[in-house]
Amino acid sequence: MSEHLVDIRNLHLSFFTPAGEVKALNDVSLFLDEGEVLGVVGESGSGKSVTASAIMGITADPGRIVSGKVIFNGHDIGSLDEKELRKIRGKEVSMIFQDPMTSLNPVYTVGNQIEEAILLHTDKNKQEARERAVELLRLVGINEPEKRIKQYPHELSGGMRQRVMIAIALACEPKLLIADEPTTALDVTIQAQILELIMELKHKLGMAVILITHDLGIVSSMCDRIAVMYAGKVIECGTTDDIFYNTKHEYTKGLLRSVPNLYEEESTRLVAIEGTPVDMLNPPAGCPFAPRCPQCMKICLKEMPPYHEFSDIHYSACWLTQKAEFEEAGKGEE
Amino acid sequence: MTKYIIKRLVMAVLTVFIVATLTFFLMNAVPGGPYEAEKSISPQAKAALEAKFGLDQPLFTQYLTYMKNILHGDFGPSLKQRGREVIDIILTKFPVSAKVGGLSVLVSLIVGIPVGCIAALNRGKASDSTIIVIATIGIAVPSFVVCSLSMYLFGVKLGWLPTVGLMSWKNYIMPVFALSFYPTAYIVRLMRSSMLDALGQDYMRTARAKGVSEAVSLFKHALRNAILPVVTYVGPMMAYTLTGSFIVEKVFTIPGLGGEFVSSITNRDYMMIMGTTIFLATLMVFINFVVDIVYKIIDPRINLK
């Protein structure tokens, strides 16, 4: 049994495509405690969503866990069969997705889709489920829930649909809510409302949240801890303060540099990270970020750096920190 | 809704009117006439017959007379089948065709929809490939080949099934099989591709994330979205199948309406051509109307205006 709510240990997950094995997750270890908010950031294809789907046990074909463990709320997800997983999904862990426009089934009413989750996981009858659905819609801040419940998704705006998705996710008061880029497809003003709503509900219901995003602005204000992913690896992980003010990995530094600054006097060009993301079919032998890293050394291209711990919860995988450490030690001896 | 139905009714009448008008003038534009081919007929007798049925009148007068008559529900007498009214011929022969055709529609739906779903669910596997190959053959092979082959195999060689007429339920097997072969294959292909499309949609992932079982997510969430293209196809297909197929009826000697369509044209039986065409057009318009209503029931996004 694990003391963490989510405990991912040395997870290797691959997609076996006709073109070859794509190692989507390569030795990922992460944990999350009850009531905590973990931000997972990284560019497209870095393995953020795959990590989330592994926790839910909904890894899409042809993806498979090769080795490692995902332990959620005491369940070893990899060893459960589909039937056992279904009991966990939607009840103990829920997920909301990027695009609320397509995530709801267009041919069923909003009420039907919320009630479905309630009826699946509780003993409530139809009438009680309906009442609960109205209550949930009110909880996520939708006006006139009695009227909305009879409407179809196409009759609602994007922000409202995402609220409905959240209502579905919260139907059985899960211990963990995974929000996979919940605001990417929404207007900026709606984004803020949805994020506020998620945080408010987190406090009300005391659930843990994994927030997947590539918007550093969002994670800085919402998360307790942040994991930075690159090419299927967690390359740096620590508290929000660690990541923003005590940055260790060159990739994280690059990410922070490329955030546009509102307060700069003169308008400057946006700083970009040079190069292109890794070809996951043929990943480089060493550190995956090495080909794009401004501080790249010889060893970076040959060998993957081990994790270096700066504190109990702040660690990163970079040869530069190892080198700094080594030099520090050398100085001490002199 | 009432407004919509009234609008559709007006459109329906207009459609049938245009079809009737076009058919009338097109059929008269084709050389020949109902009494041209008969050798035994004398010029006097021919003139008398033409005068009897008003064929000696100017074309436009004939048109006006015909239109006036059908407004009174009078489709006129058959010009070739002496002493029989067009409406009687249609009313006696349509039920025969509709019985065979209706069974064929049922078979093609009952077989086509599940098989298409099975193919989609097993995408890329052997069962999927087998289904695709059979469906492609079903679309490519013309019905007279299916008729002749099944007749030869089951009727003559094995002697399992009767080859002529509609005396018992056994008589229905081969014609229904031959008639439903193409639509079944077509529905399988439609269903497979739209099911694949539905399975890849985000709402299917939402359903999985909710903890919905495979069966429920398939039947509740995917099927209802995937079935729309099939409904679109089944509408017109139904009208054609119910009114009978010339080939299938000829091969199995079924006294249905399908034969009348073709023979009325070769015989230049003007009244019969008009009657069968107006009948098919009306049926088609009606079925399309029903399809639109069904559409609205299945997909609430569709706006009937």
Side-chain angles (χ1 to χ4, degrees):
Chain A
M1 278 300 218
S2 150
E3 47 195 308
H4 300 301
L5 180 65
V6 178
D7 196 353
I8 303 177
R9 286 186 216 145
N10 306 97
L11 186 66
H12 291 257
L13 192 151
S14 293
F15 288 89
F16 295 89
T17 69
E21 180 186 350
V22 177
K23 292 181 177 168
L25 295 183
N26 204 346
D27 199 16
V28 168
S29 296
L30 274 176
F31 70 89
L32 180 70
D33 289 322
E34 288 194 22
E36 202 183 13
V37 181
L38 173 71
V40 180
V41 292
E43 56 196 33
S44 309
S46 57
K48 310 182 296 275
S49 299
V50 178
T51 308
S53 62
I55 300 171
M56 296 282 287
I58 56 168
T59 307
D61 261 355
R64 246 183 297 142
I65 292 177
V66 179
S67 64
K69 267 190 176 172
V70 182
I71 294 172
F72 167 71
N73 202 19
H75 311 285
D76 180 356
I77 297 291
S79 70
L80 296 182
D81 64 21
E82 189 53 34
K83 212 175 158 190
E84 291 165 311
L85 283 172
R86 279 207 297 271
K87 284 186 195 149
I88 300 173
R89 279 185 217 137
K91 188 178 185 203
E92 293 175 37
V93 51
S94 289
M95 193 160 175
I96 53 179
F97 301 98
Q98 187 171 350
D99 194 350
M101 294 300 183
T102 56
S103 293
L104 289 166
N105 195 331
V107 300
Y108 292 100
T109 58
V110 164
N112 182 313
Q113 297 186 55
I114 302 173
E115 286 156 30
E116 186 177 36
I118 302 168
L119 291 171
L120 264 172
H121 299 293
T122 63
D123 301 330
K124 288 192 170 75
N125 63 27
K126 281 211 161 172
Q127 182 58 38
E128 290 164 338
R130 171 131 299 212
E131 281 160 17
R132 170 81 177 134
V134 171
E135 191 185 303
L136 281 163
L137 284 183
R138 198 170 285 128
L139 182 74
V140 296
I142 287 180
N143 309 327
E144 306 176 84
E146 287 88 356
K147 185 183 133 200
R148 296 291 179 198
I149 209 157
K150 293 185 194 115
Q151 289 186 318
Y152 289 94
H154 71 275
E155 295 169 283
L156 306 179
S157 68
M160 282 236 249
R161 288 190 217 182
Q162 195 62 298
R163 284 172 193 265
V164 171
M165 281 300 292
I166 295 172
I168 292 174
L170 300 182
C172 303
E173 303 199 351
K175 289 201 161 175
L176 171 66
L177 174 71
I178 303 175
D180 189 353
E181 306 202 24
T183 58
T184 311
L186 300 173
D187 287 346
V188 182
T189 45
I190 310 293
Q191 272 187 22
Q193 292 173 13
I194 294 289
L195 292 171
E196 265 169 40
L197 175 69
I198 293 175
M199 290 316 279
E200 188 192 313
L201 293 170
K202 176 205 127 46
H203 290 303
K204 247 186 218 169
L205 308 174
M207 63 192 174
V209 177
I210 294 182
L211 183 68
I212 296 171
T213 177
H214 45 237
D215 189 336
L216 283 168
I218 292 175
V219 285
S220 70
S221 59
M222 290 179 64
C223 300
D224 303 319
R225 278 188 308 123
I226 297 172
V228 183
M229 292 192 70
Y230 187 80
K233 282 179 195 296
V234 177
I235 49 117
E236 184 166 2
C237 184
T239 64
T240 305
D241 282 353
D242 287 336
I243 298 293
F244 277 83
Y245 303 111
N246 193 12
T247 320
K248 293 295 179 191
H249 199 283
E250 284 302 313
Y251 176 65
T252 318
K253 286 179 190 166
L255 274 185
L256 291 171
R257 268 200 300 272
S258 55
V259 175
N261 191 342
L262 264 181
Y263 305 105
E264 214 135 283
E265 291 285 318
E266 280 173 58
S267 59
T268 47
R269 283 183 71 91
L270 213 53
V271 185
I273 301 176
E274 295 290 326
T276 52
V278 181
D279 171 12
M280 294 296 276
L281 267 173
N282 302 299
C287 168
F289 187 61
R292 302 170 73 181
C293 181
Q295 311 271 2
C296 178
M297 301 177 295
K298 263 185 193 165
I299 189 166
C300 300
L301 294 167
K302 282 181 198 146
E303 241 179 284
M304 181 62 206
Y307 283 114
H308 185 85
E309 288 182 11
F310 304 98
S311 70
D312 282 352
I313 43 175
H314 186 198
Y315 57 88
S316 102
C318 180
W319 283 116
L320 283 170
T321 52
Q322 309 278 344
K323 187 183 162 205
E325 196 82 356
F326 187 71
E327 283 171 352
E328 198 95 330
K331 267 182 206 155
E333 273 171 29
E334 274 168 24
Chain B
M1 198 64 192
T2 336
K3 209 175 148 193
Y4 173 73
I5 292 173
I6 293 169
K7 207 173 142 193
R8 281 299 292 257
L9 272 176
V10 173
M11 291 293 287
V13 173
L14 201 65
T15 311
V16 174
F17 169 74
I18 292 170
V19 168
T21 308
L22 275 176
T23 315
F24 189 87
F25 288 106
L26 279 174
M27 114 195 141
N28 276 294
V30 181
Y35 306 115
E36 299 274 304
E38 288 174 47
K39 278 181 188 162
S40 60
I41 207 163
S42 68
Q44 289 85 352
K46 189 186 159 195
L49 274 171
E50 285 185 345
K52 184 185 170 196
F53 294 118
L55 297 176
D56 54 346
Q57 302 282 318
L59 193 56
F60 198 69
T61 317
Q62 285 183 39
Y63 170 70
L64 289 180
T65 317
Y66 184 78
M67 284 308 200
K68 210 169 77 193
N69 286 342
I70 57 170
L71 283 182
H72 295 100
D74 178 11
F75 285 82
S78 166
L79 300 182
K80 300 293 277 196
Q81 304 180 34
R82 304 267 158 84
R84 296 192 70 188
E85 290 286 315
V86 168
I87 195 83
D88 291 334
I89 299 175
I90 292 177
L91 287 181
T92 47
K93 298 215 160 173
F94 174 66
V96 180
S97 293
K99 210 166 166 189
V100 179
L103 283 170
S104 306
V105 172
L106 269 182
V107 167
S108 55
L109 288 175
I110 290 170
V111 176
I113 292 172
V115 172
C117 291
I118 291 168
L121 289 175
N122 294 297
R123 184 191 190 170
K125 291 183 193 154
S127 51
D128 179 31
S129 317
T130 317
I131 290 169
I132 292 177
V133 169
I134 296 173
T136 310
I137 292 172
I139 286 172
V141 175
S143 63
F144 63 86
V145 176
V146 180
C147 287
S148 320
L149 278 180
S150 55
M151 195 174 214
Y152 176 73
L153 187 66
F154 299 108
V156 181
K157 276 277 157 187
L158 299 168
W160 290 350
L161 298 169
T163 54
V164 175
L166 284 177
M167 274 75 77
S168 74
W169 63 270
K170 278 186 176 174
N171 288 84
Y172 281 92
I173 296 177
M174 278 201 282
V176 167
F177 172 71
L179 206 52
S180 59
F181 204 61
Y182 177 85
T184 308
Y186 202 91
I187 289 172
V188 165
R189 289 173 53 118
L190 266 183
M191 197 65 221
R192 179 183 177 271
S193 64
S194 62
M195 195 67 187
L196 279 178
D197 188 48
L199 290 175
Q201 292 292 321
D202 287 348
Y203 53 77
M204 294 303 288
R205 188 180 53 183
T206 308
R208 268 193 95 186
K210 265 194 247 180
V212 172
S213 71
E214 294 271 331
V216 172
S217 71
L218 182 68
F219 286 110
K220 183 181 167 187
H221 291 281
L223 192 60
R224 188 157 161 189
N225 282 284
I227 208 149
L228 284 174
V230 177
V231 174
T232 316
Y233 168 70
V234 166
M237 182 272 267
M238 206 145 116
Y240 284 124
T241 316
L242 288 179
T243 48
S245 145
F246 174 68
I247 294 164
V248 174
E249 290 184 1
K250 269 273 156 2
V251 173
F252 295 104
T253 39
I254 297 166
L257 196 57
E260 293 296 334
F261 272 102
V262 181
S263 57
S264 68
I265 293 168
T266 48
N267 287 337
R268 300 283 191 280
D269 189 342
Y270 290 152
M271 294 298 179
M272 204 52 210
I273 296 177
M274 288 305 292
T276 47
T277 309
I278 291 172
F279 182 73
L280 176 62
T282 313
L283 194 65
M284 191 71 96
V285 165
F286 173 72
I287 288 178
N288 270 323
F289 172 66
V290 174
V291 163
D292 284 352
I293 303 284
V294 170
Y295 239 98
K296 170 73 186 167
I297 295 168
I298 295 177
D299 190 342
R301 282 172 300 178
I302 288 161
N303 204 352
L304 296 181
K305 263 185 190 163

